[in-house]
Amino acid sequence: WHRRFSVSLGMLNIGIAQGQALLDRMLPHQTTCRAVGPVITQATRLRELARSSDILVADEIYTALSGVGTFELTALPPLHLGAAVTQNIYRLEGRHMGEIGS
């Protein structure tokens, strides 16, 4: 991101997944909520696998972005989410503005 856009993600590592999540409030009068569900678990796992400055995305996000010329998606080894669940994952990289459309 820094090399292509002069944007530094610093020490950020990001995981993006798509799906439904629920908002959960631990205590009835608590003002803050947390999102829970399989999509949150998946995005968290992707974030944990990402190295510094990496953005890892799930298969559904790959499908949504694969036709967008602004992004380059590199396939990585599949993520094993459970005994019988495997998810294809990809590294998302931005393309330099001068490379869009070429």
Side-chain angles (χ1 to χ4, degrees), residues 7-73:
V7 173
S8 179
L9 294 180
M11 299 301 292
L12 293 179
N13 49 337
I14 301 168
I16 303 173
Q18 178 179 338
Q20 294 183 346
L22 298 172
L23 290 179
D24 179 33
R25 203 176 276 172
M26 297 295 285
L27 301 171
H29 301 290
Q30 187 176 4
T31 58
T32 59
C33 296
R34 65 182 178 135
V36 296
V39 68
I40 303 302
T41 302
Q42 183 181 29
T44 300
R45 184 72 179 118
L46 289 171
R47 180 187 49 82
E48 290 168 350
L49 291 173
R51 298 180 311 229
S52 178
S53 302
D54 269 354
I55 299 174
L56 300 184
V57 300
D59 209 25
E60 296 86 2
I61 304 300
Y62 167 81
T63 301
L65 293 177
S66 61
V68 179
T70 307
F71 301 105
E72 182 178 320
L73 295 146

